[in-house]
Structures are given as structure tokens and as C-alpha cells.
Amino acid sequence: MQGSLIDTLARQGVTRRAFLKYCATLASMMALPPAAGRAMAEAMAAAKRPSVIWLPFQECTGCTESITRSHSPTLEGMIFDMISLDYQETLMAAAGHQAEEALRHAMKENAGKYLLIVDGSIPLGQDGAYSCIGGRSNVDLLKEAAQGAAAVIAVGTCASFGGIPKANPNPTGAVSVSDLVQDKPVVNIPGCPPIPVVMTGVLAHYLTFGSLPELDDKKRPKSFFGETIHDRCYRRPFYDQGKFARTFDDEGARQGWCLFELGCKGPVTHNACATVKWNGGTSWPVESGHGCLGCSEPDFWDGGGFYKALSVPADPLKFVAASSVVGAGVGAAVGFANRASKNAARSAHETTTLADLEK
Amino acid sequence: MARDSIPLHVVPPGEPGLSGNAPPLLRELLERVRRLLDDGESSAIDLSALPLTPADLAWLRDKLGTGEIAVTLHAHGESTLNETGCPGIWWVTHRNEQGAVMSQFIEAAFVPELVKAHPRDVLTGQEYLESMISGC
Amino acid sequence: MNALQFLTWVRGPGLNIAIGIFMLGVLWRLLEIYSLGRRKDLSAPRRTAGASGLHTVFRRSLPAPGMLKYSPVSYTAGYLFHIGLVLIVFLFAPHILLIQNAIGLSWPGLPSRFVDMITVVTMAAMVAVLVDRINKAPKRFLSTFEDWFAWTVTFLPVLTGWLAVQHLLLPYPTMLALHILSVEILLIVLPFTKLFHAFTLFGSRWYNGQVNGHKGVPV
């Protein structure tokens, strides 16, 4: 199936106009000027399929599910098919030694040119023994594969920031891709799972311009992670009016009021859910009546509880009782000491001086 | 269970009114039409990239009016490319299979690029015609 | 440490420590002050109209004759920012939620736009009292480090809270964390500085009114 993308698409029944339409929309979502949509279409139509190696580490396959089952048949899915996916354990037909052979082959053939997609975090505890493929630890595999990669795309929160495996107490010593790969360009596409179009958007950008899109300080594509959920939320006016749902079945919840008090992490979460939505634009968590979990932010799992509002204590205030007792004790002790010194002063007939008053 | 059977109704928090961002777009369009006439350069404005409220969009649609031509494209969801009351200005809406608007543009062009058939596709059509003739 | 970890720390261990020290300090100081006691005044009380602890509590809330004209900024701006602080702290929805979470009491809040307006007025009033303190020679002369410090730790929570809500200067999570941190600093220093007047204000007025009332002097 070598050849240009548009020919491959045509064989799958995707017309040129459908492709142009998709590129126009993709460019719009990536905040590129409209002219870029056409440039993208032209470049992608002629592009050769880049080799992509997808390494799964400590993960749940949810990221793969998100992109392959987004909704069918999608152009997103087809763009994904258009890359030469040389290694993907879940999707590939080969298994065992055959699969490992395919990986070695792809890495040798396309050295320096392939894109490396990683999902899942990498355990460092016990010399990486917590997660191995074909007898080799994840950290070993990642270091070897990253060496020959043109760029590394960390898909999902686990690969981007450590995710659930890294959650307190992090039993496996899990770290993110960018903790280990420092000498190659790394793009983080966090989310649990990430939005499919964000993944294909980055791939399309690479196919078109041969480079990675502009990134923020957490290495996320700015066009998708530039604004918070709260900024673009359709329930934002309720927040501004002070109208909040207080339980999941009260009048406020029925009226679709703001979910801040129910623990929505929208104000501190950067992602495109509010604009791109999920399942082909059907809905997204807040529209379905549940607050944002903040899944595209580092350490969202340890953010103090999904159902606790951002303004309330993350932990129970456990020092209050003890410190109150200590405070009362100190106060009483100082009180007794004061009385004692007062009585002593009185019995000694001490006089009050100016210095005493200055105290 | 259908979503309608869940007793959850979202009340829009009062229609956000005109933001004042729509009228300057008319000037922008004038400039683009001028460029189309002088240099034959077509261009487009991405409406989802601008801070426009639904009321702004309705105002724009109303101002630009409806022209003589309405094109419907059936390709992975319906797209409409409609000429406005100002010839040379087209209102382009792309929808997905579920009917949700994916992107919206205003194009300044004699004919939107998407409407024209690509030579490669015409070639395919030619081959198809030839095969039909030889098949008779 | 990234912004969210910072935020989680100030919401968790940070808040824990701050409220712990706050409670310790408040109980300590209150017990210490009220256990000081006073020798019983055996003289016969002189009764004069308007001379009692309760009278003084209210009387001192109003400017003394002529003072409003002499120091208008202290009174108007002073009143404005104190009322503003009370409204912001107790009637902003996220704050009510915090109180509800801590002690279980809840009440309706004000719309956030209104609180926003109050915040701007409060900050303006606080800046006005600061400028007044700098401009007026006697005030400047009487000011010690503690006065400037108390002003700063009171102003910072208001400023950072407002910046966070307005999405100015820094990303919201960072600003929110800074806001909570500044409140924690305020909580920690409150029992040990002149800011403790939040607790002792009415007690000391009552004391002065009572002592002088016994002598028949309305103060």
C-alpha cells in the first residue's frame, strides 16, 4: 500500500472533496488560517506514509480505543490508517517473536525518520521489572526506540505526565516519557483518554509541514490545550451568575447549572473537550452533567478528590483539634505564669516603671 | 435509553446578545471582495476562530442575505456552500454525519474551490465514460 | 513542582498547617488576654448616661467629633475596605463552600460579578489608606514595620484572588494557588500581629467602656 495518501483514501471510498472538507475543518480546529487547510490537503495528498512505531507501556489501551473506535468510519481513523503503523501490539496481526522482529525491522529501515508514539508510563522501580515486553524492560525499549525517532509523541496522560500508575504512592516508580527522553522533540497529548482529533491533528501537522505544532510549557499543542475547559464551557454564564448545582439530582443539576461545587476541575484544566466534544460532537462530560476530572493535567489523580470543589481543603484538617488543644494549653500556662508574676510583684511591692508600660 | 427520556433539560443562560464583533467583519469582507476583483485572489474567513455569539452569526447571515445559488455537498456529512446576497461571497458550513457543524467559513471567491472538479477526478470520469462506451 | 501540585499542596498540607497555627495562636492569645484579670474595683460606681461597655462598643464605631473632617480617608476608606473584606470573605460562593466544608454551615452567596465589583472598591480603599499613611507625616512617623507588613498580608489575598478570577498575569491554577498561599500567610500571622484586632476589637472596647463607666466617664 505504498503511494500517496489521496490514492489510498480513494481506494477506501474517500473522495477528494471529503478530504478537502476534512482538512479545512482540521485546520480550523488547529487554529491555522483557512489557506492552511488547502496547503494541508495538497501536502497530505502527496505525502508518503511515514513509518510509525507505537510502544505500549504501563497503560490500559484506552488511548488506542479512543482513536480506533472514535466513531466509524471517520476520516480521523482513516488518517490514522494512512500512516504506516509498523508496530502496535494491540492492532497488529503478528505476535511474539514475529512482532518483535517487525519492530526491529522498522527501526532499522527508517532510522532517524520514524515517529514514535508512546502510551503508558514507564516504571523505573526494580530496574524496570514491573513492565516488560519480550523480556526487555520498558525503559530499555523506550531509550532504544527514541534514539532513532524523528520525534516522540506521548499519547495519553500516563505517557505525558505519569498518569494513574504515577499516582500516590507510585508503587512502580512510574515516570513520563519526557522524564526520560530529553534529546528528541516530545509532544504530549494528555487526556484519559485524549481526544482523537488532537492525535490526528498532530499527525496531520507532521505530515503536512514536516514539523510539530506549537507547544505550551507542558509540551502540549497550543491549538488544543491553549484554553481551559472553564473558559470555553457553555455553563460558564451560570458560574458568573453564582448559580451552582449542589448535588447531582437537585434543581440546579436539572437546570444545567455550573458544576463547580460538585468538584469540576474545569478552571484548572487545559483541553479542547468544550469545543471539540466527544463521540462525533455528541456531548462531553460537563454537558452530560458531570464535572471535569482534569484528566489532561499532571497528577490529576492526586488532585484532592474528583468531587471536592477546587476551593475546599484537599485533605481533612487533621491538625485543627490537636493545635486547638495545644493553643489552649499554652494560653492557660502563660495565663498562670502572668498571674504568678503579678502576685510576686505585688507581694514585693514593685513599682511600675515607664519601661514596663512600653512592653 | 434515549437521551430525551432522561429528565434533564439545559436552559440556555439567556441568549448572549450581540458582541459587537460582527460589524467589523463587513469591512473585512469588503476588502476581500476588492482583492478578488483586482487580483482574482480568493480568500476565506474562519468563523469558528472568531469570538462570535450565535446572535452575531444570525446578524451576519441576515445582513448578507441569500443569493441565487445554493450548493449541497454530500461527503461524510452534508456541507452547504451558499451564495449570499453579495455575489462573490459564500457562506460555507461543514457538517459531520451526525449533522453537527464542524466548521464554518465565509469565502470570497467567484466559485468556491470545493465546488470545482479536480482534473484528476475529471480524468477518472473520462475513463468511466470510455469504459461505458466500449462496453456497449 | 507544577502548578497543579502546588495548588494541591496549598489546598492540602499547606492549609492544614495554616489553620493549625491559626487555631493555636487564636486560643493562646485569647486565653492569655482574658485570663489576665483585674483587681476588683471596690469604689462605688458612678452612674452616668451613656457610660458603659456596650455604649463604647457602638460609640467607637463612629468617628469622634471633628475627626471625620480631620482624617476623612481613614474613616471612609477604612470603613469601605473593612466592609468589603467581610462581604468578599463571607459572600463569595467558593468561600462559602470552603466554610461549609470546614464547619458545615452554609448560606446564599452574591453573584460573582457583584463580588468582583466589591473587590475592586476594596482594593482601591486599601490603596487609599496606604497612600494616606505615607503622605501624612504623623501617620508615617507612627508607622512601624508591623503596620506595613499587616497591610501587605491583608492586601495580597484580595489582589491574588481578584487576579485569579480575572485570569490576569498568571495561569488560573498558579494564581489560585498563590491566592490560597497568601491567605495561609495571613492566617498564620493574624494571631501574632495587630491583625488580631479582628478578635479583640469589641472585647477591648467593652473593657475600656466598662472601666471608665465605673468612674462615670463615657468614652
Side-chain angles (χ1 to χ4, degrees):
Chain A
M1 275 221 314
Q2 292 299 328
S4 70
L5 188 60
I6 197 76
D7 295 333
T8 329
L9 283 172
R11 275 199 290 278
Q12 303 206 356
V14 179
T15 65
R16 188 180 299 271
R17 288 199 184 96
F19 182 64
L20 278 168
K21 171 176 162 174
Y22 171 68
C23 289
T25 302
L26 197 59
S28 165
M29 281 178 173
M30 294 174 74
L32 297 168
R38 190 150 302 136
M40 241 167 143
E42 277 165 21
M44 273 206 286
K48 290 275 182 256
R49 304 165 71 212
S51 169
V52 172
I53 294 170
W54 181 312
L55 290 178
F57 295 145
Q58 282 195 135
E59 45 91 35
C60 67
T61 318
C63 301
T64 315
E65 289 285 332
S66 173
I67 195 164
T68 54
R69 293 182 185 241
S70 46
H71 53 292
S72 59
T74 57
L75 280 155
E76 275 122 359
M78 284 174 197
I79 289 287
F80 188 61
D81 285 344
M82 288 320 110
I83 54 179
S84 173
L85 192 55
D86 294 328
Y87 181 86
Q88 217 288 6
E89 283 180 1
T90 314
L91 303 177
M92 71 200 302
H97 294 299
Q98 273 186 325
E100 300 313 307
E101 186 49 43
L103 172 62
R104 265 191 297 277
H105 181 72
M107 273 166 44
K108 217 172 103 190
E109 280 290 289
N110 307 294
K113 286 182 292 190
Y114 60 84
L115 277 177
L116 177 63
I117 297 183
V118 176
D119 68 334
S121 63
I122 304 100
L124 295 184
Q126 307 284 348
D127 291 329
Y130 284 108
S131 179
C132 295
I133 301 166
R136 294 185 61 197
S137 72
N138 290 170
V139 58
D140 249 21
L141 285 164
L142 176 63
K143 280 188 175 157
E144 188 192 350
Q147 224 159 40
V152 187
I153 304 177
V155 162
T157 300
C158 296
S160 301
F161 306 127
I164 296 172
K166 197 191 163 203
N168 194 26
N170 191 3
T172 64
V175 295
S176 68
V177 169
S178 44
D179 285 335
L180 295 172
V181 181
Q182 255 110 34
D183 52 346
K184 295 280 173 182
V186 176
V187 185
N188 286 333
I189 306 180
C192 194
I195 300 174
V197 75
V198 182
M199 300 191 239
T200 44
V202 172
L203 285 176
H205 196 283
Y206 185 77
L207 282 168
T208 313
F209 305 110
S211 65
L212 297 167
E214 206 189 336
L215 306 177
D216 70 2
D217 61 334
K218 293 195 180 88
K219 297 185 178 165
R220 302 177 292 198
K222 266 189 185 165
S223 45
F224 294 104
F225 295 93
E227 283 173 291
T228 65
I229 296 289
H230 189 59
D231 286 337
R232 300 302 296 264
C233 182
Y234 76 103
R235 297 195 186 197
R236 176 63 186 267
F238 291 121
Y239 175 87
D240 292 332
Q241 290 163 19
K243 290 178 173 170
F244 299 99
R246 280 162 201 275
T247 65
F248 282 108
D249 58 353
D250 69 356
E251 189 53 25
R254 270 182 250 280
Q255 299 280 333
W257 289 355
C258 177
L259 299 165
F260 178 85
E261 296 198 2
L262 290 168
C264 182
K265 302 293 180 291
V268 296
T269 306
H270 294 80
N271 208 338
C273 304
T275 44
V276 176
K277 300 193 184 183
W278 283 86
N279 300 325
T282 307
S283 183
W284 60 291
V286 171
E287 194 173 344
S288 310
H290 193 288
C292 169
L293 301 180
C295 76
S296 57
E297 293 294 329
D299 303 307
F300 81 100
W301 203 258
D302 293 322
F306 292 154
Y307 299 99
K308 271 191 187 160
L310 271 171
S311 64
V312 310
D315 301 324
L317 299 168
K318 45 183 179 251
F319 296 160
V320 170
S323 69
S324 301
V325 172
V326 173
V330 172
V334 173
F336 278 117
N338 284 340
R339 275 183 181 246
S341 65
K342 205 162 63 176
N343 288 337
R346 195 181 301 142
S347 53
H349 297 288
E350 273 179 29
T351 48
T352 306
T353 63
L354 200 63
D356 289 330
L357 296 174
E358 289 265 314
K359 270 183 197 167
Chain B
M1 188 160 66
R3 204 172 153 209
D4 299 341
S5 58
I6 304 171
L8 190 136
H9 52 101
V10 173
V11 183
E15 197 56 35
L18 293 167
S19 66
N21 291 337
L25 265 183
L26 292 180
R27 274 177 197 285
E28 174 74 23
L29 283 173
L30 176 67
E31 183 53 37
R32 282 166 192 259
V33 168
R34 208 172 273 153
R35 259 190 284 159
L36 180 65
L37 280 176
D38 294 350
D39 313 325
E41 179 195 328
S42 54
S43 58
I45 297 173
D46 182 357
L47 291 176
S48 34
L50 301 170
L52 298 170
T53 63
D56 288 334
L57 287 175
W59 183 88
L60 258 181
R61 258 181 196 280
D62 187 57
K63 282 281 164 198
L64 292 173
T66 316
E68 292 170 325
I69 292 182
V71 180
T72 311
L73 165 70
H74 301 278
H76 286 264
E78 201 176 270
S79 294
T80 49
L81 302 96
N82 295 343
E83 197 182 33
T84 64
C86 319
I89 295 182
W90 302 75
W91 193 291
V92 181
T93 308
H94 294 310
R95 292 169 191 277
N96 63 9
E97 283 100 332
Q98 283 78 20
V101 174
M102 294 197 299
S103 54
Q104 226 171 159
F105 302 88
I106 296 181
E107 265 191 69
F110 293 113
V111 179
E113 200 65 28
L114 208 53
V115 176
K116 295 181 198 160
H118 193 275
R120 287 280 300 271
D121 294 341
V122 177
L123 198 70
T124 313
Q126 187 192 351
E127 282 164 10
Y128 180 53
L129 275 172
E130 281 167 359
S131 75
M132 276 198 297
I133 290 164
S134 61
C136 293
Chain C
M1 189 186 265
N2 61 51
L4 210 64
Q5 284 170 327
F6 179 32
L7 179 59
T8 306
W9 188 87
V10 294
R11 282 174 61 211
L15 196 67
N16 223 329
I17 294 166
I19 293 188
I21 295 178
F22 174 76
M23 289 306 292
L24 187 148
V26 167
L27 285 172
W28 167 353
R29 295 283 318 266
L30 282 179
L31 269 171
E32 183 184 342
I33 291 167
Y34 286 107
S35 70
L36 269 178
R38 194 172 168 80
R39 227 186 314 175
K40 204 167 164 58
D41 193 340
L42 297 172
S43 64
R46 296 182 187 180
R47 307 226 179 269
T48 313
S52 79
L54 192 64
H55 274 103
T56 303
V57 167
F58 286 104
R59 192 179 297 123
R60 294 239 171 133
S61 296
L62 296 172
M67 285 304 284
L68 187 61
K69 218 171 167 186
Y70 182 73
S71 191
V73 178
S74 299
Y75 285 103
T76 47
Y79 255 105
L80 271 179
F81 92 76
H82 275 97
I83 294 170
L85 284 179
V86 169
L87 292 179
I88 298 165
V89 171
F90 293 107
L91 292 177
F92 184 46
H95 296 166
I96 299 172
L97 208 61
L98 170 67
I99 295 164
Q100 188 193 9
N101 190 272
I103 57 171
L105 289 176
S106 172
W107 50 85
L110 288 173
S112 59
R113 292 230 171 104
F114 191 60
V115 176
D116 200 69
M117 215 177 65
I118 297 171
T119 312
V120 173
V121 173
T122 303
M123 286 193 295
M126 287 194 74
V127 169
V129 292
L130 182 73
V131 169
D132 195 49
R133 190 185 274 278
I134 294 169
N135 276 345
K136 288 228 169 101
K139 281 189 176 177
R140 191 172 62 234
F141 177 71
L142 287 171
S143 298
T144 59
F145 169 77
E146 193 188 341
D147 294 303
W148 309 113
F149 180 69
W151 184 91
T152 310
V153 293
T154 313
F155 187 71
L156 281 181
V158 189
L159 178 70
T160 51
W162 184 74
L163 289 175
V165 170
Q166 295 292 324
H167 290 261
L168 294 171
L169 218 61
L170 290 172
Y172 180 80
T174 317
M175 217 20 136
L176 181 64
L178 284 177
H179 171 62
I180 298 175
L181 184 70
S182 66
V183 174
E184 284 163 6
I185 292 171
L186 176 64
L187 282 175
I188 289 171
V189 303
L190 192 140
F192 307 105
T193 56
K194 69 169 191 173
L195 293 172
F196 200 59
H197 75 267
F199 285 89
T200 53
L201 170 73
F202 294 112
S204 59
R205 277 185 192 172
W206 184 284
Y207 175 82
N208 281 326
Q210 188 66 36
V211 167
N212 287 291
H214 193 85
K215 299 172 182 163
V217 186
V219 291

